[in-house]
Amino acid sequence: MKQPIFLDNAATTRTDREVIEAMSPWLDENYGSPATLYTLGAQSKQAIEEARQQVGDLIGADSKDVYFTSGATESNNWAIKGVADAREEQGRHIITSVAEHHSILMPCKFLEKKGWEVTWLPVDGEGVVDPGSVASVIRDDTVLVTLAHANHEIGTIQPVADIARITRERGVAFHVNAAQGVGHVPLDVQELGCDLLSLSAHKFYGPKGAGALYARRGTRITPLIHGGAQEKKRRAGTQNVAGIVGLGKAAELARRNLEAEAKRLTGLRDYLMESIEGKFEDIRLNGHRTNRLPNNVNYSIEGIEGESIMLSLSYPTADDARPVYISTGSACVSGTLEPSHILLALGVPAELAHGSVRVTMSRETNREDIDYLVKALYEVTERLRSMSPVYKRGSKKCATGSAEGCDCEAAS
Amino acid sequence: MKQPIFLDNAATTRTDREVIEAMSPWLDENYGSPATLYTLGAQSKQAIEEARQQVGDLIGADSKDVYFTSGATESNNWAIKGVADAREEQGRHIITSVAEHHSILMPCKFLEKKGWEVTWLPVDGEGVVDPGSVASVIRDDTVLVTLAHANHEIGTIQPVADIARITRERGVAFHVNAAQGVGHVPLDVQELGCDLLSLSAHKFYGPKGAGALYARRGTRITPLIHGGAQEKKRRAGTQNVAGIVGLGKAAELARRNLEAEAKRLTGLRDYLMESIEGKFEDIRLNGHRTNRLPNNVNYSIEGIEGESIMLSLSYPTADDARPVYISTGSACVSGTLEPSHILLALGVPAELAHGSVRVTMSRETNREDIDYLVKALYEVTERLRSMSPVYKRGSKKCATGSAEGCDCEAAS
């Protein structure tokens, strides 16, 4: 098999060589439990505290406010259920949006079943939550607002700081799921003004199985995982020392190259969008054109299934072809035939939502990869469309998906 | 520093070389998310399913009933809170014992605060829960019994199968925290008859950050971590592939040598007990003399602090001395000055509980290590006792700690 091109970095990323090297002794010789006082344990504890500092530095947080978890899904569950539990007597109302990740959506639905009220804010056609809408639905019994910093499917970045000014004024805890943004764009909890923030190592070249929840001092939150005294009694269980060291190292590495890499990827992203829009007919950009993650591109391609595109790119038939790995819908629900709830939330019609592809780049991605993708994607699209019983060329010519609208539809 | 002797294997174990090698590609080249359908993801999924089979084989479970978690603490929290939530309408009564691990104790206390009733069963002087006592406290509104298979401090093994017969007859879910036993003693969920069982990789030569919950088909349990469709929608979050592969490999290796190694360690344990009891005065064996984990020994040493013993052994002053790592009380609460709640539950007086040491061996442990430990422990004990303002030689001569009692105390 020819070397694949991996363009599904919102799902996971290749662990950095330096991260693996940093982890290695903690998988091996340095196996002491950080809860113990002898040398072998004390050095594990010290390694964890260094990682805490590295993570704190990456997000502008006091490291004392960083708690290690098994990943962003756990962090999101903890933030939502933990604040709900701790503030239950103040009220049982939570605010989120209809376009969140399943690890936000499902804990909120769980709480709904338990009698909490959840307000599901709409997003606009580009996936943005209006801060004014947050202000208008906060009530006296609202205890938490939880929103993504950047959407995992369409890459749209939310006006977090604007929303934080509102929640702070109203005394409502504000949790930000920043799993997609941390390590990829500059992100500072002081500037954002949020009270809680989730992150995951494997989304920025760290290992799977390690993440963190930032919880600003004074934020009332009940543990999700009770037990021993680890993580200042807030998250029990022997820490995953190697994973945490890997997370710390990934944070350090990300911080070192953050702005330059974000700039490079933004250039590559815009080049990809230009290439696609110059070549394809009947497509729709999903998400905001500029206010989106530097590595994210998402299009709906009319008349065909995203799943078919993804599989055709992954398993090319030509001997000399390189597999290209992208995703369709959300990686977590791949394999289901439900259209993405996020695209539906943008107002994308179900049949078009089915034909969506997400391309998410990494620091390994270069211009040649993008050229290869565009060519392969075009060939696959042409082939699938030629077999499609539903596709009619020119039914939608506007490639911009812009909220401002355009007049090209009339020209078809 | 001379090569240390690690005798704190109930806290954690050295990861096996073969386990590290098995994990290595999954930290590195094979980084695909198991939720994705292309080759890179599909192979991660396949690796996880192999590990699930390996874990199932170790504990006699259908692999479909094995769910991966971040460790036994998460598994314990999930079992307790998950069953409590799923069966809430049937009743809000839980049964456990006073001598459980903090990851059982704290979730139970959490539920108590939420209005659940918890019956805290006593243990006898050797740490055993009487099955009859379980039968006598089960009520119509009891939904869960949760007990350790083997105590993490004193190694006492519970009559799990006897208790399971009772819970099954009464329609009560039975959760067993088997973190200490899995991989060390033969343990089969069909023979035990439990409905749920927790285990942790790093307790048997696997990596930290990976564990599992066995949940027999039909056991009603709400997820602790909601979100994506991973683990059949029961435990969300991108799986820690490398950790899970490591857990699977550790399970496979443990199974290969289980009985021979358990026998060898039992011999070594009995040799250690004979050596200590032949040499020391005024000590008390904690836990059952024979019905205990093959690798666990626990003594209270009168007149001195376990913490001082542990630190003296860990940081010896003589240049040619080897550090010996053991624990005092429970590793999870080391650093606190509270006497172990487990020793208190046995009826050990607080001052004696303070002077307890736990020695837990591994497959690396040999007779020379034991001889070295006994010599070093004796020297430290003599030195600390000579400085102790409270120790009076011969105040308690009985070394057996036997529940049957003896008449040697009168002889002092």
Side-chain angles (χ1 to χ4, degrees):
Chain A
M1 189 173 83
K2 290 265 182 179
Q3 182 66 29
I5 299 173
F6 188 74
L7 293 171
D8 194 16
N9 290 280
T12 195
T13 55
R14 181 200 293 275
T15 312
D16 192 284
R17 272 260 128 241
E18 281 191 61
V19 168
I20 298 171
E21 277 163 33
M23 292 171 70
S24 170
W26 306 98
L27 279 172
D28 196 350
E29 286 303 309
N30 302 347
Y31 62 94
S33 163
T36 53
L37 298 177
Y38 42 77
T39 314
L40 197 66
Q43 66 194 14
S44 294
K45 177 150 180 62
Q46 196 186 328
I48 286 177
E49 296 315 317
E50 278 172 33
R52 205 183 304 280
Q53 188 65 52
Q54 289 165 319
V55 171
D57 288 348
L58 178 64
I59 60 169
D62 185 334
S63 69
K64 293 193 193 73
D65 295 345
V66 173
Y67 301 89
F68 291 117
T69 67
S70 66
T73 287
E74 182 191 325
S75 298
N76 289 342
N77 273 264
W78 181 15
I80 294 170
K81 298 174 190 171
V83 169
D85 185 81
R87 301 187 67 169
E88 188 170 8
E89 282 169 25
Q90 287 174 260
R92 313 211 325 162
H93 179 235
I94 290 172
I95 299 167
T96 186
S97 94
V98 292
E100 299 302 314
H101 189 266
H102 276 84
S103 59
I104 297 293
L105 198 147
M106 300 303 271
C108 286
K109 286 195 171 176
F110 170 72
L111 289 176
E112 268 188 333
K113 275 200 241 164
K114 306 256 119 203
W116 266 262
E117 262 188 272
V118 178
T119 297
W120 302 90
L121 291 174
V123 294
D124 70 14
E126 289 161 327
V128 181
V129 172
D130 172 15
S133 76
V134 177
S136 70
V137 299
I138 289 183
R139 317 183 315 208
D140 288 346
D141 63 345
T142 307
V143 293
L144 178 71
V145 173
T146 175
L147 292 169
H149 163 261
N151 188 281
H152 61 289
E153 269 191 55
I154 56 172
T156 298
I157 294 174
Q158 299 297 346
V160 169
D162 295 339
I163 296 168
R165 272 187 287 277
I166 296 162
T167 55
R168 184 158 289 185
E169 199 184 291
R170 302 290 297 272
V172 174
F174 184 22
H175 168 246
V176 171
N177 172 17
Q180 290 294 330
V182 167
H184 296 286
V185 291
L187 208 151
D188 182 299
V189 292
Q190 312 310 341
E191 284 170 27
L192 292 177
C194 58
D195 303 298
L196 300 137
L197 182 141
S198 301
L199 60 91
S200 183
H202 79 102
K203 301 292 190 185
F204 60 101
Y205 316 114
K208 295 173 184 61
L213 181 68
Y214 159 78
R216 190 182 295 278
R217 199 122 359 126
T219 305
R220 291 178 54 206
I221 179 164
T222 303
L224 180 70
I225 298 180
H226 288 88
Q230 293 91 351
E231 300 294 309
K232 289 184 273 172
K233 299 193 180 176
R234 288 189 140 180
R235 202 287 188 180
T238 299
Q239 286 103 332
N240 174 0
V241 183
I244 289 169
V245 167
L247 167 55
K249 190 68 184 181
E252 183 203 309
L253 295 174
R255 192 163 164 244
R256 209 184 282 168
N257 304 308
L258 198 59
E259 301 207 7
E261 180 58 12
K263 201 172 157 195
R264 186 188 76 86
L265 279 173
T266 302
L268 214 50
R269 178 196 74 191
D270 293 345
Y271 172 69
L272 171 55
M273 297 201 296
E274 281 162 31
S275 304
I276 287 181
E277 292 174 14
K279 202 171 170 78
F280 288 68
E281 287 181 291
D282 305 327
I283 56 171
R284 180 193 196 277
L285 174 69
N286 296 314
H288 198 281
R289 180 162 294 276
T290 54
N291 191 22
R292 72 190 299 145
L293 288 173
N295 75 331
N296 174 296
V297 163
N298 189 313
Y299 282 95
S300 290
I301 302 182
E302 200 163 317
I304 54 182
E305 294 284 331
E307 197 89 340
S308 309
I309 302 170
M310 190 267 285
L311 290 171
S312 298
L313 287 174
S314 304
Y315 301 99
T317 48
D319 283 349
D320 60 343
R322 295 176 67 182
V324 183
Y325 299 151
I326 62 163
S327 87
T328 175
S330 160
C332 296
V333 290
S334 270
T336 75
L337 287 173
E338 293 290 304
S340 151
H341 71 282
I342 289 163
L343 297 180
L344 297 180
L346 303 183
V348 178
E351 66 276 13
L352 203 54
H354 272 299
S356 76
V357 291
R358 179 185 72 179
V359 175
T360 45
M361 303 175 289
S362 75
R363 57 184 187 199
E364 293 178 24
T365 311
N366 58 35
R367 209 171 239 261
E368 288 66 45
D369 296 333
I370 295 307
D371 290 339
Y372 194 96
L373 161 74
V374 172
K375 185 168 162 290
L377 181 62
Y378 188 74
E379 286 168 9
V380 164
T381 299
E382 287 293 293
R383 182 166 58 77
L384 292 174
R385 278 181 170 173
S386 73
M387 302 184 294
S388 167
V390 295
Y391 178 63
K392 276 170 56 188
R393 185 168 305 273
S395 61
K396 180 178 182 309
K397 262 195 157 159
C398 175
T400 64
S402 152
E404 291 92 47
C406 66
D407 55 3
C408 58
E409 286 200 27
S412 73
Chain B
M1 190 173 79
K2 290 264 182 183
Q3 183 65 28
I5 299 173
F6 188 74
L7 293 170
D8 194 15
N9 291 280
T12 196
T13 55
R14 182 200 292 275
T15 312
D16 192 286
R17 274 258 128 240
E18 282 191 61
V19 168
I20 298 171
E21 277 162 33
M23 292 172 69
S24 168
W26 307 98
L27 279 171
D28 196 350
E29 286 302 308
N30 301 348
Y31 61 94
S33 163
T36 53
L37 297 177
Y38 42 77
T39 313
L40 197 67
Q43 65 193 16
S44 294
K45 177 150 180 61
Q46 197 186 327
I48 286 177
E49 296 316 316
E50 279 174 30
R52 204 183 306 280
Q53 188 65 51
Q54 289 164 320
V55 171
D57 287 347
L58 178 65
I59 60 170
D62 186 334
S63 68
K64 292 193 193 73
D65 295 346
V66 173
Y67 301 90
F68 292 115
T69 67
S70 67
T73 286
E74 182 191 324
S75 299
N76 290 342
N77 273 263
W78 180 16
I80 295 170
K81 298 174 190 172
V83 170
D85 184 82
R87 301 187 66 169
E88 187 171 9
E89 281 169 26
Q90 287 175 259
R92 311 208 331 158
H93 179 235
I94 291 172
I95 298 167
T96 186
S97 94
V98 293
E100 299 302 315
H101 189 266
H102 275 86
S103 58
I104 297 293
L105 199 148
M106 300 304 271
C108 287
K109 288 197 170 175
F110 169 72
L111 289 176
E112 267 187 333
K113 274 200 242 166
K114 307 255 119 202
W116 265 264
E117 262 187 272
V118 178
T119 296
W120 302 89
L121 292 174
V123 293
D124 70 14
E126 289 162 326
V128 180
V129 172
D130 172 16
S133 76
V134 176
S136 70
V137 299
I138 289 183
R139 316 184 315 208
D140 288 346
D141 63 344
T142 306
V143 292
L144 178 72
V145 174
T146 175
L147 292 169
H149 162 262
N151 188 282
H152 62 289
E153 269 189 57
I154 57 173
T156 298
I157 294 175
Q158 299 296 346
V160 169
D162 295 340
I163 295 167
R165 272 187 288 276
I166 297 162
T167 55
R168 183 160 290 185
E169 200 183 291
R170 303 290 297 272
V172 173
F174 184 21
H175 168 246
V176 171
N177 173 17
Q180 290 295 330
V182 167
H184 297 285
V185 291
L187 208 152
D188 182 300
V189 292
Q190 312 309 341
E191 284 171 26
L192 293 177
C194 58
D195 303 297
L196 300 137
L197 182 141
S198 301
L199 61 91
S200 183
H202 79 102
K203 302 292 190 185
F204 60 102
Y205 317 113
K208 295 173 184 63
L213 181 68
Y214 160 78
R216 191 182 294 278
R217 200 123 356 129
T219 306
R220 290 178 54 206
I221 179 164
T222 304
L224 181 69
I225 298 181
H226 289 88
Q230 293 92 352
E231 301 293 310
K232 291 185 273 173
K233 298 194 181 176
R234 287 188 141 180
R235 201 287 190 181
T238 300
Q239 286 103 330
N240 175 0
V241 182
I244 289 168
V245 166
L247 166 55
K249 189 69 184 179
E252 183 203 310
L253 296 174
R255 193 165 164 243
R256 210 184 282 170
N257 303 308
L258 199 58
E259 303 208 6
E261 179 60 11
K263 202 174 157 193
R264 186 188 75 87
L265 279 173
T266 301
L268 214 51
R269 178 197 74 190
D270 293 345
Y271 172 68
L272 170 56
M273 296 200 297
E274 282 162 30
S275 304
I276 286 181
E277 292 174 15
K279 202 172 170 81
F280 289 68
E281 288 181 290
D282 306 327
I283 56 171
R284 179 193 197 277
L285 175 68
N286 296 314
H288 198 281
R289 182 162 292 276
T290 53
N291 191 20
R292 71 189 301 144
L293 288 173
N295 74 331
N296 174 295
V297 161
N298 188 313
Y299 282 95
S300 289
I301 302 181
E302 199 163 317
I304 54 181
E305 295 284 332
E307 196 89 341
S308 309
I309 302 170
M310 190 267 285
L311 289 171
S312 299
L313 287 173
S314 304
Y315 301 99
T317 47
D319 283 348
D320 60 344
R322 294 176 68 181
V324 183
Y325 300 150
I326 62 163
S327 88
T328 174
S330 160
C332 295
V333 291
S334 270
T336 75
L337 288 173
E338 294 289 305
S340 152
H341 71 281
I342 290 163
L343 297 180
L344 297 180
L346 303 183
V348 178
E351 65 278 14
L352 204 54
H354 272 298
S356 75
V357 292
R358 178 185 71 180
V359 176
T360 46
M361 302 175 291
S362 75
R363 59 184 186 198
E364 293 177 24
T365 312
N366 57 36
R367 211 171 236 263
E368 288 67 45
D369 296 334
I370 295 306
D371 291 338
Y372 195 96
L373 162 74
V374 173
K375 185 169 162 288
L377 182 61
Y378 188 75
E379 287 169 9
V380 163
T381 300
E382 287 293 292
R383 182 165 58 75
L384 291 174
R385 278 181 170 171
S386 73
M387 301 184 293
S388 167
V390 295
Y391 178 62
K392 276 169 58 186
R393 186 169 304 272
S395 60
K396 180 177 180 311
K397 265 196 156 159
C398 174
T400 64
S402 151
E404 293 90 48
C406 67
D407 57 2
C408 57
E409 286 200 25
S412 73

